[in-house]
Amino acid sequence: MMPFTRISRHADLVNRMAKATGADLAAAIWGGDLRAETLREAVLRCAGCAHARDCEQWLQTRAALAGRVTPPHYCRNRALLIGLAEGVEG
């Protein structure tokens, strides 16, 4: 997989996981609760994870669910996303 394709895939996974957990990444950045560097690090953590396919399947099964969900235990960005969803600075 090309490096940019890999990064794009994982940026998409981070964004989808954020939406599923109720973390608004754009609002957090604009509001000063999330630094761009922290978001970049989150994408790179995701890119280094061996559970990308599991994550995609997990997100697909939860897409129809209403309300917030907690990221799976293997998510390397679990604490960050939970914190952002709860309004804790990242």
Side-chain angles (χ1 to χ4, degrees):
M1 184 179 292
M2 298 291 293
F4 291 117
T5 303
R6 181 181 173 98
I7 295 300
S8 292
R9 175 185 183 205
H10 290 278
D12 180 60
L13 286 174
V14 170
N15 189 47
R16 289 173 55 204
M17 186 64 74
K19 286 180 182 177
T21 62
D24 186 336
L25 299 177
I29 287 175
W30 284 108
D33 296 326
L34 177 65
R35 295 182 356 230
E37 295 84 13
T38 304
L39 180 55
R40 182 186 68 225
E41 291 166 359
V43 171
L44 293 176
R45 270 193 303 276
C46 181
C49 182
H51 295 282
R53 287 197 190 272
D54 297 331
C55 184
E56 289 169 337
Q57 291 174 349
W58 186 92
L59 285 163
Q60 193 171 32
T61 61
R62 272 129 189 106
L65 297 178
R68 297 178 182 174
V69 296
T70 302
H73 65 57
Y74 54 77
C75 180
R76 293 181 173 193
N77 293 304
R78 181 181 169 93
L80 173 67
L81 295 171
I82 290 171
L84 289 171
E86 294 175 353
V88 178
E89 292 183 19

